[in-house]
Amino acid sequence: MRVVWNAFNGRYADNPRALHEALLARGRTGDEHLWLADARHAAAFPPGTATVPIGTPEAVAALESADLLVSNTHVQLDEWRKPPGARYLQTWHGTPLKRIHRDAASLPAEDVMAALDEDIARWDHLVSPSPAATQLLLAAFGRTGAVLETGYPRNDVLNAGDRDERRARVRAALGVPEGATAVLYAPTYRDDEAAAATDAPLGLDVAALTERLGPDVVVLLRLHHYVAHHRRPATGERVRDASGHPNISDLYLAADVLVTDYSSSMFDFAVTGKPVLLYAYDLEHYRDRLRGFTIDLETEGPGPVLRDQDSLTAALRDLPGVAAASEEQYARFRERWCALEDGRASERVLDALGLA
């Protein structure tokens, strides 16, 4: 069997990475694995991994020779035609809090949407992290086909037997001192700011935040890959730029609390049971004009919605109190969105595909 893999258009990451590692661990013989790769992220691929440059005729040839394509996003190569008998597994890359595809509040040009719809029509299977997410994904993509409701493979490491050892290794690699509180700040991108070559849209003064939090707190900054080209705060003793870290699941393990806004990272991080703070400094603009939401963030989210930096700072200085105040709502959130995340999602996906 020839398997072609794609994550975020050329990275070794996310659900495809987890499935690739799980499939290799099964010790199958005779399979051929080929990754679509962006040269800017080539260093993240394990030594010996076969790759082909994405966006090239070689990539088109790879897709058209695949028995199985595994991707976590749309594969938009105009020349590509899915061969008869090939299977296309779409894992997607998050539970949609923000409305996506034709459910979004604002849409790109119709020719772009038509190309995305063409890709959706090729999917044979769609992976879903939860029953609630299944409903949202099917509605957004206009699908009626097969759904593998398995949990997300990328989250298996959060319940793996070696998660404590992995946490210690990642913290050491990032330079997080023993006993320090690691705050992971992982905001999403803004559709109206992602293309601009400006400062990263963080909505906060990172230097001032760390100053007020004190010497025992380290901020791990994780920008969305759409804005990785933007300028961001200088790293230092208490700020680590983890935007280039290849596996965000490692950062979930390393962190003690997540601060995000409207990112699907909140659904994944909640698997850990650690606190989540929602820093929604531009809530009305994002919710009402840019995207729209699938849930009420204030009543159905995993933690408090904080509208300014002072409120965020106060919450970070009293995490036990914040966790206690949000306990019941957080429990409902985890039951609704994380119930399948038991560390065996990769197994279930591979079994469903018949890849023993």
Side-chain angles (χ1 to χ4, degrees):
M1 182 180 66
R2 192 178 208 210
V3 189
V4 174
W5 306 85
N6 176 51
F8 297 126
N9 295 315
R11 300 176 181 232
Y12 187 66
D14 204 70
N15 289 313
R17 171 180 173 160
L19 288 169
H20 179 238
E21 293 172 342
L23 186 55
L24 293 180
R26 292 195 167 189
R28 289 167 52 95
T29 59
D31 292 341
E32 181 183 357
H33 300 273
L34 185 62
W35 279 82
L36 303 187
D38 184 326
R40 294 171 296 179
H41 307 289
F45 286 85
T49 302
T51 64
V52 62
I54 194 165
T56 64
E58 292 81 7
V60 173
L63 291 167
E64 292 186 343
S65 67
D67 299 302
L68 173 65
L69 168 63
V70 180
S71 181
N72 78 335
T73 191
H74 297 289
V75 177
Q76 294 173 262
L77 293 176
D78 293 340
E79 304 88 349
W80 172 51
R81 296 295 179 266
K82 180 183 168 188
R87 291 185 293 172
Y88 183 168
L89 173 71
Q90 176 59 248
T91 73
W92 204 239
H93 52 264
T95 297
L97 164 70
K98 50 183 178 280
R99 294 190 179 276
I100 59 174
H101 201 59
R102 293 191 181 273
D103 274 354
S106 59
L107 300 178
E110 184 54 39
D111 61 331
V112 175
M113 294 303 298
L116 299 179
D117 285 337
E118 183 178 354
D119 183 67
I120 291 169
R122 298 185 182 112
W123 300 352
D124 295 293
H125 305 281
L126 174 64
V127 173
S128 170
S130 67
T134 297
Q135 298 177 24
L136 300 178
L137 292 167
L138 290 179
F141 294 130
R143 276 185 58 83
T144 57
V147 175
L148 304 182
E149 209 167 78
T150 57
Y152 263 159
R154 69 186 185 190
N155 290 334
D156 286 348
V157 297
L158 303 180
N159 280 313
D162 66 345
R163 62 185 176 184
D164 293 338
E165 292 83 356
R166 186 186 292 255
R167 168 182 163 87
R169 288 197 304 271
V170 176
R171 285 171 67 95
L174 293 171
V176 178
E178 187 74 25
T181 296
V183 178
L184 176 59
Y185 183 40
T188 192
Y189 69 97
R190 274 73 178 152
D191 301 73
D192 55 351
E193 296 178 330
T198 60
D199 291 338
L202 299 180
L204 57 76
D205 183 332
V206 176
L209 178 68
T210 55
E211 183 65 26
R212 289 192 60 189
L213 293 178
D216 295 329
V217 174
V218 174
V219 173
L220 306 177
L221 178 61
R222 175 72 172 199
L223 295 183
H224 192 281
H225 65 272
Y226 280 3
V227 295
H229 61 287
H230 287 196
R231 293 187 298 270
R232 50 253 206 186
T235 58
E237 184 180 356
R238 284 180 279 161
V239 179
R240 307 285 189 272
D241 186 353
S243 301
H245 195 285
N247 194 353
I248 195 172
S249 298
D250 286 344
L251 302 181
Y252 296 154
L253 290 173
D256 299 293
V257 55
L258 171 68
V259 177
T260 189
D261 42 18
Y262 323 116
S263 168
S264 64
S265 61
M266 70 178 71
F267 298 91
D268 301 318
F269 192 83
V271 175
T272 70
K274 292 180 286 192
V276 179
L277 307 182
L278 304 175
Y279 183 49
Y281 61 90
D282 59 349
L283 178 62
E284 289 80 11
H285 175 68
Y286 197 97
R287 180 190 61 202
D288 301 335
R289 289 184 286 279
L290 281 186
R291 282 300 191 98
F293 292 158
T294 59
I295 65 173
D296 186 316
L297 200 60
E298 294 181 291
T299 62
E300 299 176 277
V305 175
L306 308 164
R307 303 300 301 275
D308 56 64
Q309 184 158 331
D310 287 342
S311 299
L312 173 61
T313 304
L316 287 169
R317 295 176 71 175
D318 183 27
L319 286 177
V322 169
S326 304
E327 184 176 6
E328 291 185 7
Q329 186 166 314
Y330 192 19
R332 290 194 297 270
F333 183 89
R334 295 186 72 210
E335 181 179 2
R336 182 179 183 184
W337 303 104
C338 306
L340 297 178
E341 306 286 12
D342 60 358
R344 300 183 61 190
S346 296
E347 293 181 28
R348 287 190 285 269
V349 172
L350 296 180
D351 288 347
L353 295 176
L355 302 178

